[in-house]
């Protein structure tokens, strides 16, 4: 597991973490902490926390969160 731990790996690609503030499956703290740690190591990491949504709304194209998720994906694609 140590060799695959993303906190221990130097990741050259830009990273975007999108998290719902009401996620009760994986607390947003994990993504916030990861972002802080990786930024502290000079990596290109971005964090988008969407209030009022939980874990599954981020993958539901009919949710209120979807436009932000889609917008981030399109940004990464250069569109």
């Amino acid at each position: 597991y140590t060799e695959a731990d993303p906190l221990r790996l130097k990741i050259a690609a830009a990273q975007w973490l999108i998290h719902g503030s009401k996620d009760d499956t994986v607390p947003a703290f994990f993504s916030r902490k990861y972002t802080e740690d990786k930024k502290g190591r000079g990596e290109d990491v971005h964090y988008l926390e969407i209030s009022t949504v939980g874990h599954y709304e981020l993958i539901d194209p009919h949710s209120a969160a979807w436009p932000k998720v889609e917008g981030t994906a399109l940004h990464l694609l250069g569109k």
Side-chain angles (χ1 to χ4, degrees):
Y1 291 110
T2 300
E3 292 176 359
D5 181 353
L7 279 173
R8 295 176 183 248
L9 297 173
K10 174 75 173 155
I11 300 174
Q15 303 167 67
W16 275 87
L17 286 80
I18 305 173
H19 213 114
S21 63
K22 297 197 183 295
D23 188 334
D24 60 0
T25 304
V26 179
F29 167 80
F30 288 106
S31 292
R32 279 190 230 116
K33 179 79 170 110
Y34 176 90
T35 301
E36 290 172 14
D37 290 351
K38 296 299 256 181
K39 278 188 175 189
R41 295 182 186 144
E43 293 187 31
D44 185 13
V45 183
H46 308 271
Y47 177 71
L48 171 61
E49 187 168 310
I50 303 175
S51 63
T52 72
V53 300
H55 191 77
Y56 296 103
E57 291 90 345
L58 299 176
I59 60 168
D60 179 358
H62 301 290
S63 75
W66 187 253
K68 290 182 182 180
V69 174
E70 182 179 38
T72 302
L74 291 172
H75 168 75
L76 290 169
L77 292 170
K79 297 184 177 191

